[in-house]
Each structure stands twice: as C-alpha cells, then as structure tokens.
Amino acid sequence: MTALTLSTAGAATLRADALVVGVAKSPKGGKGLVVAPGAEAVDKAFDGKLATVLETLGASGSEGEVTKVPSPSGLKAPVVVAVGLGAAPEKDEAYDAEALRRAAGSAARALNGVKKAAFALPVEAVEDAQAVAEGALLGAYAFTAYREKGKDAKGPLAEVALLGVKPRDKAYKAAAERALALAEEINRARDLINTPPNDLYPESFAAIATAAGKEHGIKVQVLDEKALVKGGYGGILGVGQGSENSPRLVRLAYTHPKAEKTLALVGKGITYDSGGISLKPAGHNETMKCDMSGAAAVFAAVVTAARLGLEVNVTGWLALAENMPSGSAVRPGDVLRMYSGKTVEVLNTDAEGRLVLADALTKASEENPDAIVDVATLTGAMVLALGNRTFGIMANDDAFRTSIHEIAEEVGEQSWPMPLPADLRKGMDSPTADIANMGERMGGGLVAGLFLKEFVGEGITWAHLDIAGPAYNEGGPFGYTPKGGTGSAVRTLVRLAERTAAGDLG
C-alpha cells in the first residue's frame, strides 16, 4: 500500500522523484492557464513562465489532464507533473474538494513505478489536505495479484508526500490517518471485487472477513450452510443451492463503549452470478465476479469504522452466495420460504440479489438498529436510468434518503434519490406465494427496492443503494477511479457512520 507523509518542506526543496502541481483554466472572461496555489516556488523556478511552458506543450488545465516537464535548476525533484483542476474558482472562493481529489488521483495514476512524489496542490484547509490525500492514495492503486512478476512490471506510486500542511497539527494528523485508513479499505474492497470467482467464493470471503475481524477487534459470526438450513434462511439457500460452493451469512459487529446509536449495513455478496437457470447471455456474464461489490463495500465500511474508532455501533451483514445453474439449482416457478416466514415465487433466477438481501435484512431488523442501509449491484434498470457513474438511493423515509444523498455529494460519490411508487407493488403479486421476485419490467430498479422494503422490520429507518452502475468500471480509468472494481459507496457509508456518531443520523 502507498505510504502517506505530511511535510512542511517547500515545493522547491523537498527531495522527491516527482513534484505534482495544479493548473487550471482562467476564471470566466480570462484566457490561458492559471498556476494554482501551492506551486508558487515551482513557477519561480521557471522564471514565472510555468503556465507558458505548459501551454506550449498543449496543456489546457482541463480536469484530470496530466503534463510532465523536466525540472529546471532550483528544484530538487527531477520532474514536474502538472495536473488540470478544471476551471479556476472565482475570487475569494476555493477549489472544490472533489476537483482536488480527482486531480491528485490522476497524477498518482500517471506515476506508476515512482518511489516518491510530492503533492503541492492547493491546500487552504484540513478538508483540502484530506481530499488530496484520499485522491492520491486511491489513484495509486493497481491489481497485480495475478500478473507475472517481472523486471518491467511497474507497481503503483510508493509514497505520497503532502506539502502545504502542518504535520504536528492534530487536525491535519487526524485527516491523514482518516484518509489512509479509508483508502486502504477501499483498495481492499477493490481487490476483492477484482479477484476471480474461482478464488473468491462465499467460504473464502467469510475467511477474509474473519481474519480482518481478529486484526481490528471486530466480532465476526459466520453462518455456514448447516446453520442457514437450521435457521430457515430460504432466500440465501435457494440462490446458493445450485453451486458446489455453499452460501454463507457473515455478521461483523464493531462496537464502541460510548456509542448511543447502532447502524446496520447489509451487502449483497453474489461472488459470481451466472443468472442461474435464467442464464445470462454471452456479453453479460464476463464481469459478474463484481456482483459482490455491495458486500465488499459493507465489509470495508465496518473495518474503516473500527480503525477510526468511531463512537457508533456498526454491524455489517454479508449475504454471500454463488448463483449457478445445475440439476440442484432453484428453478423459475419454485417457491422459497424466506427467513421472515414470507414465501416468494421465483419467476427469474437472475433476480437473485434481492433474495439473499431479503434474508439478511430480516435478520438485521431483529436487532432493532437505528437505521439499516443495504448496498447492492442490484439491477440493470438502475444503470439504464442513471448511467455508469451514479448510484440510486431509495428509502422508506424521505429525510433519510435526502441525508444520504447529501452525504454522497459531500464525499464525492455521484448519486440520485429515487422513488418507491406504491403502484408498482401490485406487479409482484403472485397467485401461488406471498410475493414474486419480479414485477413490472419498466421501473425495474424501483420494483427491486419495493421488494426489499417488504423485509425491513416495522418502524426501522431503511435505505437501499443500487450501485450497479459505478461498482465496476469497464471503461478506462479516470481521476482516482481505476478500471475494474471501484469501491463504490464505501465513502458514503463511512461518512454516514461518522455523522451517526456525531448524533446526526438524518
């Protein structure tokens, strides 16, 4: 994992292999590049012509644009890396934290194989320092576990030195510690999402969670297939019965002696989703190792809360199964008796995520938490509605939904509040069972949310995050977001836990 250090050294005097500075487009009405605060000494080393040099090389200051130039005499670092911040803020305004986060991530991605880079981006407050640190640490990510180790292989940036901060200031130290813990756990979630399904299956995922629990003082309970049968978890068992890899339900409990609130997080953990008997066609199943991204996010959020020592109780539920076709697989038309006692007619075995989540939501509700949030790569319909970078938020409480949306915006995760129209519920009526696992095709993401709502305990505040779009990036990397698993929703969940600890659950 990339190391993070705080330094009071000037940009011109710190010894590093590369020096990262920010450039931006001129404010409205202006022309050309603007050198961002933090790079004054670097600009001086270029005789005040850094912007001119960069413009000559084609730099425009666009967000995420990276331009490398050899350093002139007067700088200890041999290379200057100028990263675009987008439009410069108006007078008396600061750069947006997300712009700083993305710029730092873009620069870090461009520095693979480099031992140490100094980041001299605009840092006017603790929040800015935290954003730069997060972006750099998240950008310095590479999944190389399955690549042959050779002399030409380049690992991610080894060390980030953050300039323009106060290393001895408690607030800055706390911000750095938070950024490091958060980034390390998001990157662990990314590793899990990127791990091939022949190596990551319910039992192995549960073992990883158990090991992390021992390391960070988290109580872990694993229900194996025998325990699931005894407990009557028909949803999880039904989805997993077609696979040789049996399902698991994992409970992770972080508690704090001063906590006054309890937050329950539930994650969909389909370690591979073939669709089951309702088999996915070619072109739709190649990336389905990512169908456990919700469980990875919940796991990462609980561990981060423990590492930060938040004064809130956080319980994570990982509903783990592998959805495979076989002679023992659940069939369209089968009826499952869920943990809640409700019966569900399975009309489509590829609508399996809601079945494992339903059992986990019921179980989580028994502990009567102050709020439940489930996270899942649940529906293609949500991707059609919101695209590949935005997750949908549904809830049984409008204020809670709004709060989560605001939190997501605050931490830089794109999201959008979605409704739960009561008229769509009728489409899930079944002539055989209490409810069907499918309803109207149009509004399918909302139908899935309505299904889950049926299994939330009465009087418990609940929200559902459908991260099907942003959980796995099949395109090129951008900002601090890599190709492959992204760790979507972890930052939102951790910030929600922090707000809950502060007495602001929403």
Side-chain angles (χ1 to χ4, degrees), residues 214-227:
K214 290 179 180 178
E215 181 182 356
H216 298 291
I218 300 167
K219 185 177 180 182
V220 181
Q221 179 186 11
V222 179
L223 298 184
D224 61 12
E225 186 173 22
K226 184 178 179 180

Side-chain angles (χ1 to χ4, degrees), residues 78 226 241 257 285 302 330 335 346 375 421 470:
K226 184 178 179 180
Q241 71 188 46
N285 55 18
V302 175
V330 68
V335 173
V346 179
V375 189

Side-chain angles (χ1 to χ4, degrees), residues 176-238:
E177 290 170 0
R178 182 189 186 278
L180 186 61
L182 182 61
E184 286 182 347
E185 296 311 321
I186 289 175
N187 286 339
R188 191 204 313 240
R190 290 170 169 179
D191 283 349
L192 288 169
I193 297 164
N194 291 327
T195 299
N198 57 315
D199 282 340
L200 188 75
Y201 41 90
E203 183 181 3
S204 62
F205 196 154
I208 291 169
T210 299
K214 290 179 180 178
E215 181 182 356
H216 298 291
I218 300 167
K219 185 177 180 182
V220 181
Q221 179 186 11
V222 179
L223 298 184
D224 61 12
E225 186 173 22
K226 184 178 179 180
L228 291 171
V229 170
K230 184 178 180 180
Y233 294 87
I236 297 174
L237 287 165

Side-chain angles (χ1 to χ4, degrees), residues 43-316:
D43 191 32
K44 184 177 179 181
F46 279 88
D47 295 325
K49 297 180 180 179
L50 176 57
T52 302
V53 170
L54 293 171
E55 284 182 317
T56 301
L57 293 173
S60 66
S62 297
E63 186 178 293
E65 177 186 75
V66 175
T67 308
K68 297 180 181 179
V69 294
S71 297
S73 59
L75 298 180
K76 297 292 185 183
V79 178
V80 172
V81 179
V83 60
L85 291 163
E90 298 294 331
K91 187 178 180 180
D92 298 327
E93 293 183 2
Y95 283 91
D96 178 70
E98 179 63 6
L100 295 176
R101 195 179 287 113
R102 291 181 180 179
S106 295
R109 284 193 297 102
L111 292 169
N112 283 348
V114 173
K115 289 184 178 180
K116 181 178 181 179
F119 283 70
L121 294 174
V123 175
E124 297 183 13
V126 172
E127 292 77 16
D128 298 333
Q130 184 170 295
V132 173
E134 283 179 14
L137 293 170
L138 291 174
Y141 171 80
F143 185 67
T144 59
Y146 292 83
R147 294 192 179 276
E148 185 178 356
K149 292 179 173 62
K151 61 180 180 180
D152 296 327
K154 290 184 178 181
L157 173 63
E159 181 182 347
V160 170
L162 195 57
L163 307 184
V165 299
K166 304 170 184 176
R168 296 183 180 179
D169 185 287
K170 289 183 179 179
Y172 280 94
K173 287 178 67 176
E177 290 170 0
R178 182 189 186 278
L180 186 61
L182 182 61
E184 286 182 347
E185 296 311 321
I186 289 175
N187 286 339
R188 191 204 313 240
R190 290 170 169 179
D191 283 349
L192 288 169
I193 297 164
N194 291 327
T195 299
N198 57 315
D199 282 340
L200 188 75
Y201 41 90
E203 183 181 3
S204 62
F205 196 154
I208 291 169
T210 299
K214 290 179 180 178
E215 181 182 356
H216 298 291
I218 300 167
K219 185 177 180 182
V220 181
Q221 179 186 11
V222 179
L223 298 184
D224 61 12
E225 186 173 22
K226 184 178 179 180
L228 291 171
V229 170
K230 184 178 180 180
Y233 294 87
I236 297 174
L237 287 165
V239 172
Q241 71 188 46
S243 173
E244 292 184 0
N245 294 310
S246 58
R248 298 287 188 275
L249 178 61
V250 180
R251 178 183 184 270
L252 303 103
Y254 161 69
T255 58
H256 193 285
K258 295 183 180 179
E260 296 182 356
K261 298 284 186 179
T262 296
L263 187 63
L265 308 176
V266 177
K268 173 188 172 184
I270 304 299
T271 55
Y272 181 73
D273 181 19
S274 69
I277 298 297
S278 306
L279 192 67
K280 293 179 184 291
H284 291 78
N285 55 18
E286 291 81 357
T287 60
M288 281 298 101
K289 64 182 182 181
C290 78
D291 214 20
M292 37 59 67
S293 296
V298 166
F299 172 48
V302 175
V303 175
T304 304
R307 291 181 62 173
L308 297 178
L310 301 183
E311 293 185 10
V312 59
N313 297 328
V314 184
T315 304

